[in-house]
Amino acid sequence: MDLGLRNKVALVTASSRGIGFGIAKVLAQEGAKVVISARREDELAKAKEIITKESGAEVLAIKADLTVKGDVETLVNEVMRSFGTIDILVYNTGPPKPGTFSQLTDEDWEYATRLLLLSAVWLTKRVVGHMVSKGWGRLIYVTSLTLRQPIPNLVLSNTVRLSLAGLVKSLAIEYGQYGITANGVMQGYIETERIKQLAQEEARNRSVSIDEVIKNWSAEVPVRRYGKPEEIGYLVAFLASDKAAYINGSMILIDGGYVKCVF
């Protein structure tokens, strides 16, 4: 299926590895001009090389820390300077600090709010006006299944990420009339480098294979495996296309059936 994304400009944050990288790869394969960003220049350079080689797409890499408002402003300005527009914003971030409520400090909460909410607000404010002027745009926010099913020891994620659902619905109501859709993706357990590192540690501690650890971990997922970053990318690419123009204000779960609630 041709999703019609050729030459669309897509900004994907936190995209040098993991889920963001998988999303950027898929959008590039669909012919979009992709802007990737992250905090480490060495990882960005490597990611750009891989995506360009595999897709042949035009890829721009910009260093940015989403928790710093000045970096967010510079990021958007550089994209506009290079491409003159941003058609698709895919907001993605790294995870907040784990911990229980009693373990977390005020500083932990403040940082998590910048990481998981304020950075999304800062980016959206600087992008949505360009979309309004064109009468077309896609705002896509990658969050977590914690919006539907809290996870022990992840109080920051369980709490702060919920605010993105309110942001998505509010943006959908306000900007739908301008040809702009806003949606969220609630991803489940995905096979990222972080998961592989944790599996290696547990395998070493238990003297078992990494495959056995992953198999045990994924036993609670009805499809009996973790998702792949590209599978999040396929959903994002669809939401970014005109094929999904009537999907607006939705929070879409992609978790292999892990979340058990029916609503």
Side-chain angles (χ1 to χ4, degrees), residues 9 15 45-46 60-61 63 75 81 83 95 123 139 163 170 183 187 195 208 216 226 228 233 253:
V9 177
S15 47
K46 182 179 178 181
L60 177 65
K63 179 182 176 182
L75 172 62
R81 189 179 304 115
F83 293 119
L123 271 167
L139 302 169
S163 57
S170 298
N183 292 290
Q187 99 283 346
I195 288 294
V208 298
N216 289 338
Y226 280 7
K228 299 183 183 303
L253 193 62

Side-chain angles (χ1 to χ4, degrees), residues 19-150:
I19 293 171
F21 179 67
I23 293 170
K25 279 205 304 182
V26 171
L27 291 174
Q29 290 164 359
E30 289 293 326
K33 298 177 181 178
V34 178
V35 182
I36 60 175
S37 73
R39 288 180 291 186
R40 291 184 53 177
E41 289 182 338
D42 57 335
E43 292 186 353
L44 272 175
K46 182 179 178 181
K48 177 180 178 179
E49 180 180 1
I50 294 172
I51 296 172
T52 302
K53 183 177 180 180
E54 292 185 1
S55 67
E58 188 173 354
V59 181
L60 177 65
I62 302 173
K63 179 182 176 182
D65 182 342
L66 295 182
T67 66
V68 179
K69 187 189 292 187
D71 279 17
V72 172
E73 293 176 346
T74 298
L75 172 62
V76 174
N77 289 340
E78 289 195 25
V79 178
M80 293 301 297
R81 189 179 304 115
S82 297
F83 293 119
T85 187
I86 297 175
D87 300 300
I88 302 160
L89 171 63
V90 183
Y91 172 80
N92 178 56
T93 64
K97 180 180 179 179
T100 64
F101 185 84
S102 61
Q103 293 170 335
L104 298 167
T105 66
D106 289 348
E107 289 73 23
D108 293 331
W109 282 95
E110 289 169 3
Y111 182 81
T113 302
R114 291 201 308 275
L115 177 68
L116 301 176
L117 173 61
L118 289 179
S119 57
V121 172
W122 297 336
L123 271 167
T124 305
K125 276 185 170 292
R126 286 153 181 78
V127 167
V128 73
H130 302 294
M131 295 179 175
V132 170
S133 66
K134 292 183 305 178
W136 195 95
R138 296 291 183 264
L139 302 169
I140 303 168
Y141 302 84
V142 180
T143 61
S144 168
L145 61 77
T146 58
L147 274 74
R148 295 283 295 278
Q149 186 166 298

